[in-house]
C-alpha cells in the first residue's frame, strides 16, 4: 500500500501567498456588508468606555504616509481596547475650513478666469472641494483597515458643529476673554491673512543685516548705531532700545562719534572697516535715558528707552523699535505711549496710515514697494537701502543667515504687522463662569473644575491643568508647557472667506459689538441655515435676526467679515463632538476615576500639535468647559525620508518616490504597512523607505507561515471532542504554552503602554525562535506519523488551537486583515470575526519544576545540535534521523531518572535513538554514531523493529499501529 496516504499531512484553505492587494479589499467589502463596526459596538454595549478622540486631518489632497501612520496608530489602540472588552467607539473627523483649502480653490478659480467671485461663491466652491476630498480620504482610510463610524463622521463645516463652536465661543466671550486690539500678528502676504502660531514653520533664511546711523538731536556729528535685519521696517521706527545694565562706549572715527555697546565695539569696527577708533567715554546704558535722535529719512524724532531684551551677542547694542512690527517692540511702545504704527497694507506694500501726520511719514518714493521677496530681494528693502545710502546713513550691510518664520501654505517669509484683530487674552483673570458650571451640573460631577482653586490667570490655570494630564512620552509635558508659557495673546480673527464667521458688528462710529447673547443667537441661526447665511445676508438682515430682545446698546450698521482661526474650529471639538455624541459619553458608574463624562481618554497626534490642536483644544475647553478635554495625550514623531527630512503633504511634489499611503498599500498591502508602522518606535521620528518596508514584509511572511502551519494541522480537530486537559498535555506542549503565556503577558503590557514596536519585536521573535526553530519543527513527526487520534497528537492540536487563537487576537489590532482571514479557519472560533472577540488573559500554569526541566532540555539541545552538524559535515550521517546520539555526564544522569524528559530530549534533537550514560558530577559529552536498525519507509526513523510485522515488512512497530488505526 501507499504509506504516504496514511500520514496526517497538513491541509488548509488558508493560502500561503498573502496576495494582500487583492484579498484585503474583498475582506473590506465583507466587513461593510456585515456592518462589522456596528456589530462590535452592539456587542460592547454597556461595557466600560474608552474614547480616543480623532484629531481631524485637513480635507485636502490624498492621504499621505504620515497621516496613515496617525490613523493606523489610533486604530491599533482602539482595536486593542475593544479586544480587552471595552466599548471603544471611533468617530473620525475632518477639518474642513481654513487657508489650505481656500488657497487652492482660489488658485483654481483664477486659472479658470474667475477673478471677481464673491464670498458666497468662493465658500460654495471650498465646500465642494472639501467634500470631494473627504470622500476620497474616507475610502483611503478605510482601505487601511481602520474601522469607525465612517457614515457619520464629524465635519467642522456641518452647521451643527459650527453652531456648537459658536456656543463655546459665546461662553468664552461672556467671561471677558475676547477683545479687539491693534497689535503685531503673523501676516502671510500671498495669502493675505493673519496666521496662528501653529500655521508658521521656521526655515533657514538670508536677511539683509544693516548698521544704520541715527543722528543724536542737539549733538551734531554724534550718532546712535542701530542694527536690524528687516530694513523695510525702518519707515515704522519710533524708538531705539538699549540695555540699562550693559556698558556702552562713545567712540570717534574719522570725525564722527558713535554710541555702541562696548562688548560689540571690536566686531562693529571690523565689519565697518574702521581704523584709529578712539574711545571718548564709557557709561552704563542707564546713563542714556532721555537720549533723542532724528529719524534717518523721516521728518520726526524718537527717543531711546531701556529694555532688557537687548542682548550683547550680536548687533550694536541698540535695537530699532517699530511697535507695529514686533511683539517686544509693541510692548515697549505700549509701555511708553507710542502709537502702534504699521505703514503696510493688506498687499504687503509700504503705505501711509492715519497714525502719524503724513509729513512725518516715509518719502513718497517708498510708497507701494512690496515687502515680499522675489529672487531673494524685496523692493521695500531695496528702496530703504537706497534712501540710507543717498543720505550716507548706511554704515554696513551684509547677508545674515538665520531661522525665520514662514507661512506653512505659501512657504514665503511672513511679516509681523500690527492691525485691528480679535484676540483671546491668555493672562485673563480666570475662574469658571456660571455658564460652565451649568454645563457640568448636568453630569452631577464637577470635582475636576478649576473652581476648587483660587482665581488665577488663565495661563496659570492652563499650566496647572497640563499637570493633571498624562503625557506620553513624558517630554510632551515640557513641550506644551513651554508653548503655553511663552505664547502671546491668541489672535483668533482671519481675513479669509472660508471659515466660521465671527458674529461681530460695528456701530455707526465704527466701534465693535461682540456680545455673548448675540453670538448664541447667531449660533441658532447658523444651526438652522448654515454659516453661509452670514455672507449671503446684509448686516441689517443679520442684526434683525440676532439682536437680543433686551438690547440696550448702539445698533449695528456693519457686520464683521472676519472668520475664526481654523484652530478654533478643530479646538472646539470638545463641545461639538465629545459633548454632543452620546456614544462617546462615559458613565460615572463605569469609570469612577473619570471626573467628567465627556472627557476623552486619549488624544493622539504628531509632536507639532503641542503648538496646534493639543494646545487649542486645551485652552478652549478649559476656558469654555472648565477642564482639559483629554486625560492622556500620546504623541508620535514625523515621517522622514532617508535624509531625515520631514515628509508632509505640502512637500510631496519634491520627492521622487510617492509618499501617498495609497502608493504603499498598492505595492505591499495595508497589513504590511500597518506592521511596518507597529515595528517603529513612533515616539521618535520615523524613517520611511522601500527597503525598510520590504524588511518588515519578510517578518510578515514568517508570521503568516506560522499561522498557516498551525491551521493546517487542525483540519481534523474538533475542540468539543478532542481537547486535552492542561494536566494531560505532553511536556513539549506544556512548554510552548508556558512560553506563550509569558509572551501574552509581555504583549499586553506593551499594548497597554502603546509600545507597539515591543509588540512587534516580541511576536516576531516568538514566531522565529520558539515556534519556527523549535516547536513547529519538533512536532512534525508526531503530527504527521502518530495515529490521528493518538493522545500525543491531540495534545499538540490542543496547544496549536490555543496558539493560533491567541496569535490571531494578539495580531488583530495590527494585522487587521490577515488575523481576521486566519480566524475564519480556526476550529470552534467563538465569534464570526476576530475583531468581535474577547481577549481574556490565559494564565497557563507551567510549574517551577517543569521550567527547570525544560530549561535543562533546551540547554542540552543547544549542546547536542552542533555535534550533529559536525557529523553531517564529516558525512558520517546524512539527516539527523540517521543518527544515534550518546549523551554522558551529570546531566545525562538527571535526565535518565525522568523517562518523559528523556523522550522529549530525543524528540527535541530529532534523532532516531538517544542513549544516556549517567555520570553524576561529570561534565557532559556527546558522541554521534549511525543509528541502529533499518530506516522505516513511513516515518523515516531508524528502528530495530522494522520488519517485525510480516504484513508491513518495511515499517516500524509505531507505524504499524498507526496504519491499523487508519484502516479502521
Amino acid at each position: 500500500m501507499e504509506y504516504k496516504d496514511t500520514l496526517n499531512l497538513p491541509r488548509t484553505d488558508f493560502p500561503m501567498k498573502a496576495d494582500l492587494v487583492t484579498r484585503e479589499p474583498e475582506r473590506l467589502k465583507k466587513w461593510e456588508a456585515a456592518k462589522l463596526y456596528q456589530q462590535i459596538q452592539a456587542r460592547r454595549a454597556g461595557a466600560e468606555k474608552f474614547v480616543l478622540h480623532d484629531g481631524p486631518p485637513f480635507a485636502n489632497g490624498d492621504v499621505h504616509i504620515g497621516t496613515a501612520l496617525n490613523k493606523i496608530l489610533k486604530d491599533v489602540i482602539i482595536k486593542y481596547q475593544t479586544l480587552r472588552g471595552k466599548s471603544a467607539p471611533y468617530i473620525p473627523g475632518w477639518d474642513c475650513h481654513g487657508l489650505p483649502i481656500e488657497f487652492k480653490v482660489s488658485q483654481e478659480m483664477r486659472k479658470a478666469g474667475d477673478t471677481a467671485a464673491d464670498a458666497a461663491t468662493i465658500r460654495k466652491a471650498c465646500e465642494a472641494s472639501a467634500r470631494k476630498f473627504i470622500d476620497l480620504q474616507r475610502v483611503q482610510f478605510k482601505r487601511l483597515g481602520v474601522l469607525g463610524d465612517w457614515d457619520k463622521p464629524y465635519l467642522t463645516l456641518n452647521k451643527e458643529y459650527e453652531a456648537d463652536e459658536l456656543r463655546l465661543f459665546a461662553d468664552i466671550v461672556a467671561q471677558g476673554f475676547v477683545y479687539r486690539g491693534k497689535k503685531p500678528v503673523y501676516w502671510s502676504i500671498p495669502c493675505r491673512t493673519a496666521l496662528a502660531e501653529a500655521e508658521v514653520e521656521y526655515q533657514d533664511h538670508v536677511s539683509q543685516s544693516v548698521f544704520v546711523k541715527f543722528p543724536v538731536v542737539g549733538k551734531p556729528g554724534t550718532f546712535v548705531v542701530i542694527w536690524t535685519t528687516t530694513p523695510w521696517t525702518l519707515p515704522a521706527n519710533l524708538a531705539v532700545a538699549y540695555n540699562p545694565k550693559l556698558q556702552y562706549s562713545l567712540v570717534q572715527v574719522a570725525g564722527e562719534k558713535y554710541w555702541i555697546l562696548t562688548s560689540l565695539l571690536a566686531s562693529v569696527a571690523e565689519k565697518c572697516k574702521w581704523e584709529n577708533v578712539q574711545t571718548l567715554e564709557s557709561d552704563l546704558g542707564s546713563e542714556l535715558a532721555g537720549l533723542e535722535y532724528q529719524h534717518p529719512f523721516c521728518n520726526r524724532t524718537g527717543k531711546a528707552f531701556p529694555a532688557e531684551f537687548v542682548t550683547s551677542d550680536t548687533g550694536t547694542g541698540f535695537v530699532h523699535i517699530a511697535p507695529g512690527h514686533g511683539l517686544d517692540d509693541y510692548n515697549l511702545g505700549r509701555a511708553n505711549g507710542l502709537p502702534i504704527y504699521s505703514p503696510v497694507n493688506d498687499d504687503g506694500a509700504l503705505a501711509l496710515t492715519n497714525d502719524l501726520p503724513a509729513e512725518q511719514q516715509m518719502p513718497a518714493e517708498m510708497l507701494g514697494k512690496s515687502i515680499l521677496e522675489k529672487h531673494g530681494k524685496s523692493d521695500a528693502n531695496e528702496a530703504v537701502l537706497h534712501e540710507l545710502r543717498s543720505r550716507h546713513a548706511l554704515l554696513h550691510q551684509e547677508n545674515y543667515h538665520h531661522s525665520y518664520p514662514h507661512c506653512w501654505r505659501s512657504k514665503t517669509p511672513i511679516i509681523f504687522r500690527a492691525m485691528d484683530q480679535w484676540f483671546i487674552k491668555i493672562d485673563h483673570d480666570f475662574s469658571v463662569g456660571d455658564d460652565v458650571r451649568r454645563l457640568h451640573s448636568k453630569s452631577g460631577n464637577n470635582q475636576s473644575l478649576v473652581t476648587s482653586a483660587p482665581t488665577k490667570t488663565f495661563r496659570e490655570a492652563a499650566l496647572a491643568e497640563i499637570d493633571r494630564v498624562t503625557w506620553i512620552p513624558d517630554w510632551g509635558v515640557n513641550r506644551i508647557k513651554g508653548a503655553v508659557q511663552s505664547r502671546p495673546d491668541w489672535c483668533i480673527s482671519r481675513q479669509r472667506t472660508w471659515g466660521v464667521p465671527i458674529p461681530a458688528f460695528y456701530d455707526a462710529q465704527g466701534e465693535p459689538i461682540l456680545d455673548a447673547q448675540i453670538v448664541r443667537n447667531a449660533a441658532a441661526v447658523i444651526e438652522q441655515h448654515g454659516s453661509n447665511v452670514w455672507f449671503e445676508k446684509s448686516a441689517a438682515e443679520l442684526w434683525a435676526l440676532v439682536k437680543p430682545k433686551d438690547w440696550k446698546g448702539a445698533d449695528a450698521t456693519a457686520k464683521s467679515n472676519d472668520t475664526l482661526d481654523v484652530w478654533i474650529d478643530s479646538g472646539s471639538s470638545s463641545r461639538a463632538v465629545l459633548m454632543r455624541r452620546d456614544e462617546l459619553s462615559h458613565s460615572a458608574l463605569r469609570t469612577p476615576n473619570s471626573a467628567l463624562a465627556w472627557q476623552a481618554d486619549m488624544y493622539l497626534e504628531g509632536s507639532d500639535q503641542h503648538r496646534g490642536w493639543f494646545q487649542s483644544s486645551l485652552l478652549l475647553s478649559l476656558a469654555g468647559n472648565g477642564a482639559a478635554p483629554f486625560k492622556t495625550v500620546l504623541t508620535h514623531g514625523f515621517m522622514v525620508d532617508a535624509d531625515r527630512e520631514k515628509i508632509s503633504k505640502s512637500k510631496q511634489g519634491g520627492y521622487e518616490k510617492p509618499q501617498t499611503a495609497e502608493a504603499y498599500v498598492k505595492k505591499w498591502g495595508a497589513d504590511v504597512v500597518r506592521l511596518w508602522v507597529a515595528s517603529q518606535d513612533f515616539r521618535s521620528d520615523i524613517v520611511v523607505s522601500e527597503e525598510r518596508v520590504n524588511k518588515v514584509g519578510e517578518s510578515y511572511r514568517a508570521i503568516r507561515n506560522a499561522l498557516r502551519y498551525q491551521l493546517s494541522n487542525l483540519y481534523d480537530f474538533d475542540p468539543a471532542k478532542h481537547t486535552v486537559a492542561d494536566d494531560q498535555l505532553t511536556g513539549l506542549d506544556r512548554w510552548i504554552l508556558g512560553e506563550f503565556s509569558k509572551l501574552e503577558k509581555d504583549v499586553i503590557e506593551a499594548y497597554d503602554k502603546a509600545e507597539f514596536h515591543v509588540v512587534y519585536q516580541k511576536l516576531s521573535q516568538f514566531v522565529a525562535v520558539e515556534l519556527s526553530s523549535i516547536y513547529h519543527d519538533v512536532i512534525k513527526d508526531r503530527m504527521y506519523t502518530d495515529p490521528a487520534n493518538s493522545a500525543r497528537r491531540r495534545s499538540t492540536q490542543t496547544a496549536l488551537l490555543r496558539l493560533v487563537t491567541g496569535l490571531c487576537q494578539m495580531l488583530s489590532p495590527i494585522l487587521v486583515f490577515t488575523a481576521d482571514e486566519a480566524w475564519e479557519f480556526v476550529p470552534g472560533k467563538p465569534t464570526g470575526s476576530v475583531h468581535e472577540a474577547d481577549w481574556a488573559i490565559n494564565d497557563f500554569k507551567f510549574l517551577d519544576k517543569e521550567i527547570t526541566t525544560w530549561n535543562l532540555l533546551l540547554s542540552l539541545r543547544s549542546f547536542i545540535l552542533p555535534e550533529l552538524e559536525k557529523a553531517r559535515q564529516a558525512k558520517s550521517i546524512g539527516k539527523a534521523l540517521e543518527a544515534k546520539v550518546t549523551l554522558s555526564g551529570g546531566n545525562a544522569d538527571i535526565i535518565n531518572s525522568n523517562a518523559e524528559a528523556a523522550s522529549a530530549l530525543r524528540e527535541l534533537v530529532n534523532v532516531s535513538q538517544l542513549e544516556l550514560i549517567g555520570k553524576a558530577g561529570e561534565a557532559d559529552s556527546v558522541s554521534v554514531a549511525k543509528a541502529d536498525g533499518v530506516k522505516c519507509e513511513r516515518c523515516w526513523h531508524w528502528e530495530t523493529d522494522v520488519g517485525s510485522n510480516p504484513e508491513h515488512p518495511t515499517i516500524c512497530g509505531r507505524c504499524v499501529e498507526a496504519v491499523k488505526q487508519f484502516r479502521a
Side-chain angles (χ1 to χ4, degrees), residues 1 3 937 945-957 959-961 963-964 967:
M1 66 180 299
Y3 289 123
E937 181 185 340
D945 63 350
V946 172
S948 59
N949 187 311
E951 290 185 29
H952 303 283
T954 60
I955 63 175
C956 66
C959 287
V960 168
E961 187 59 34
V963 170
K964 287 180 179 178
R967 282 178 168 174

Short mmCIF file of all heavy atoms in Angstrom, two decimals, residues 1 3 937 945-957 959-961 963-964 967:
data_model
loop_
_atom_site.label_atom_id
_atom_site.label_comp_id
_atom_site.label_asym_id
_atom_site.label_seq_id
_atom_site.Cartn_x
_atom_site.Cartn_y
_atom_site.Cartn_z
N MET A 1 0.83 -1.20 0.00
CA MET A 1 0.00 0.00 0.00
C MET A 1 0.87 1.26 0.00
O MET A 1 2.06 1.19 0.29
CB MET A 1 -0.92 0.01 1.22
CG MET A 1 -0.23 0.13 2.55
SD MET A 1 -1.37 0.13 3.95
CE MET A 1 -2.36 1.56 3.62
N TYR A 3 2.03 4.06 1.85
CA TYR A 3 2.04 4.50 3.24
C TYR A 3 1.90 6.02 3.38
O TYR A 3 1.42 6.51 4.40
CB TYR A 3 3.31 4.02 3.93
CG TYR A 3 3.34 2.53 4.17
CD1 TYR A 3 4.36 1.74 3.66
CD2 TYR A 3 2.33 1.91 4.91
CE1 TYR A 3 4.38 0.37 3.87
CE2 TYR A 3 2.34 0.54 5.12
CZ TYR A 3 3.36 -0.22 4.61
OH TYR A 3 3.38 -1.58 4.83
N GLU A 937 10.03 3.06 6.23
CA GLU A 937 9.57 3.69 4.98
C GLU A 937 8.57 4.80 5.24
O GLU A 937 8.47 5.75 4.48
CB GLU A 937 8.95 2.61 4.09
CG GLU A 937 8.45 3.13 2.75
CD GLU A 937 7.74 2.06 1.93
OE1 GLU A 937 7.95 0.85 2.22
OE2 GLU A 937 6.96 2.43 1.03
N ASP A 945 12.92 -2.53 15.07
CA ASP A 945 11.77 -3.42 14.89
C ASP A 945 11.16 -3.32 13.51
O ASP A 945 10.05 -3.84 13.26
CB ASP A 945 10.71 -3.16 15.96
CG ASP A 945 10.12 -1.76 15.88
OD1 ASP A 945 10.66 -0.92 15.10
OD2 ASP A 945 9.13 -1.47 16.58
N VAL A 946 11.82 -2.66 12.58
CA VAL A 946 11.32 -2.61 11.20
C VAL A 946 11.32 -4.03 10.63
O VAL A 946 12.33 -4.75 10.72
CB VAL A 946 12.17 -1.68 10.32
CG1 VAL A 946 11.75 -1.80 8.85
CG2 VAL A 946 12.07 -0.25 10.80
N GLY A 947 10.16 -4.47 10.06
CA GLY A 947 10.04 -5.81 9.50
C GLY A 947 9.51 -6.84 10.47
O GLY A 947 9.31 -8.00 10.10
N SER A 948 9.27 -6.45 11.72
CA SER A 948 8.79 -7.42 12.71
C SER A 948 7.36 -7.83 12.43
O SER A 948 6.90 -8.87 12.90
CB SER A 948 8.90 -6.83 14.13
OG SER A 948 8.14 -5.63 14.23
N ASN A 949 6.61 -7.06 11.66
CA ASN A 949 5.25 -7.42 11.27
C ASN A 949 5.28 -7.83 9.80
O ASN A 949 5.56 -7.00 8.92
CB ASN A 949 4.31 -6.23 11.47
CG ASN A 949 2.86 -6.58 11.25
OD1 ASN A 949 2.51 -7.21 10.25
ND2 ASN A 949 1.99 -6.19 12.18
N PRO A 950 4.99 -9.13 9.52
CA PRO A 950 5.10 -9.61 8.13
C PRO A 950 4.17 -8.91 7.16
O PRO A 950 4.46 -8.84 5.95
CB PRO A 950 4.75 -11.10 8.24
CG PRO A 950 4.15 -11.30 9.59
CD PRO A 950 4.58 -10.17 10.47
N GLU A 951 3.04 -8.36 7.64
CA GLU A 951 2.14 -7.63 6.73
C GLU A 951 2.73 -6.30 6.29
O GLU A 951 2.38 -5.76 5.24
CB GLU A 951 0.79 -7.38 7.42
CG GLU A 951 -0.05 -8.63 7.63
CD GLU A 951 -1.41 -8.29 8.21
OE1 GLU A 951 -1.89 -7.16 7.93
OE2 GLU A 951 -1.98 -9.10 8.93
N HIS A 952 3.63 -5.78 7.11
CA HIS A 952 4.23 -4.46 6.82
C HIS A 952 5.74 -4.54 7.04
O HIS A 952 6.27 -4.02 8.03
CB HIS A 952 3.61 -3.38 7.73
CG HIS A 952 2.13 -3.28 7.62
ND1 HIS A 952 1.50 -2.67 6.55
CD2 HIS A 952 1.13 -3.72 8.44
CE1 HIS A 952 0.18 -2.71 6.73
NE2 HIS A 952 -0.07 -3.36 7.88
N PRO A 953 6.42 -5.24 6.16
CA PRO A 953 7.85 -5.52 6.37
C PRO A 953 8.76 -4.31 6.31
O PRO A 953 9.93 -4.41 6.69
CB PRO A 953 8.16 -6.52 5.26
CG PRO A 953 7.16 -6.21 4.19
CD PRO A 953 5.91 -5.81 4.91
N THR A 954 8.27 -3.15 5.83
CA THR A 954 9.17 -2.00 5.64
C THR A 954 8.93 -0.88 6.63
O THR A 954 9.54 0.19 6.52
CB THR A 954 9.01 -1.43 4.21
OG1 THR A 954 7.65 -1.01 4.03
CG2 THR A 954 9.38 -2.47 3.16
N ILE A 955 8.05 -1.11 7.61
CA ILE A 955 7.79 -0.02 8.56
C ILE A 955 7.96 -0.50 9.99
O ILE A 955 7.93 -1.71 10.26
CB ILE A 955 6.39 0.59 8.37
CG1 ILE A 955 5.29 -0.45 8.64
CG2 ILE A 955 6.24 1.19 6.98
CD1 ILE A 955 3.88 0.14 8.57
N CYS A 956 8.12 0.49 10.89
CA CYS A 956 8.39 0.19 12.30
C CYS A 956 7.09 -0.15 13.03
O CYS A 956 5.99 0.07 12.51
CB CYS A 956 9.09 1.35 12.98
SG CYS A 956 8.09 2.84 13.10
N GLY A 957 7.23 -0.63 14.27
CA GLY A 957 6.08 -1.03 15.06
C GLY A 957 5.12 0.13 15.32
O GLY A 957 3.90 -0.06 15.32
N CYS A 959 4.56 2.70 13.43
CA CYS A 959 3.82 3.00 12.19
C CYS A 959 2.81 1.90 11.86
O CYS A 959 1.75 2.17 11.28
CB CYS A 959 4.80 3.19 11.04
SG CYS A 959 5.69 4.77 11.12
N VAL A 960 3.15 0.64 12.22
CA VAL A 960 2.19 -0.45 12.00
C VAL A 960 0.90 -0.13 12.74
O VAL A 960 -0.21 -0.27 12.21
CB VAL A 960 2.78 -1.80 12.46
CG1 VAL A 960 1.68 -2.86 12.50
CG2 VAL A 960 3.90 -2.24 11.54
N GLU A 961 1.01 0.31 13.99
CA GLU A 961 -0.17 0.63 14.79
C GLU A 961 -0.94 1.79 14.17
O GLU A 961 -2.17 1.79 14.13
CB GLU A 961 0.26 0.98 16.23
CG GLU A 961 -0.89 1.15 17.20
CD GLU A 961 -1.77 -0.09 17.31
OE1 GLU A 961 -1.24 -1.22 17.20
OE2 GLU A 961 -2.99 0.08 17.49
N VAL A 963 -1.04 2.63 10.99
CA VAL A 963 -1.70 2.15 9.76
C VAL A 963 -2.95 1.36 10.10
O VAL A 963 -3.98 1.49 9.44
CB VAL A 963 -0.71 1.32 8.92
CG1 VAL A 963 -1.42 0.62 7.77
CG2 VAL A 963 0.42 2.20 8.38
N LYS A 964 -2.85 0.51 11.12
CA LYS A 964 -4.03 -0.26 11.52
C LYS A 964 -5.18 0.66 11.90
O LYS A 964 -6.34 0.45 11.53
CB LYS A 964 -3.68 -1.18 12.69
CG LYS A 964 -2.81 -2.39 12.32
CD LYS A 964 -2.52 -3.24 13.56
CE LYS A 964 -1.67 -4.46 13.19
NZ LYS A 964 -1.35 -5.26 14.40
N ARG A 967 -6.73 2.23 8.85
CA ARG A 967 -7.62 1.34 8.11
C ARG A 967 -8.96 1.19 8.84
O ARG A 967 -10.01 1.09 8.24
CB ARG A 967 -6.97 -0.04 7.97
CG ARG A 967 -5.90 -0.08 6.88
CD ARG A 967 -5.26 -1.46 6.82
NE ARG A 967 -4.45 -1.63 5.62
CZ ARG A 967 -3.71 -2.70 5.39
NH1 ARG A 967 -3.68 -3.68 6.28
NH2 ARG A 967 -3.01 -2.79 4.29
#
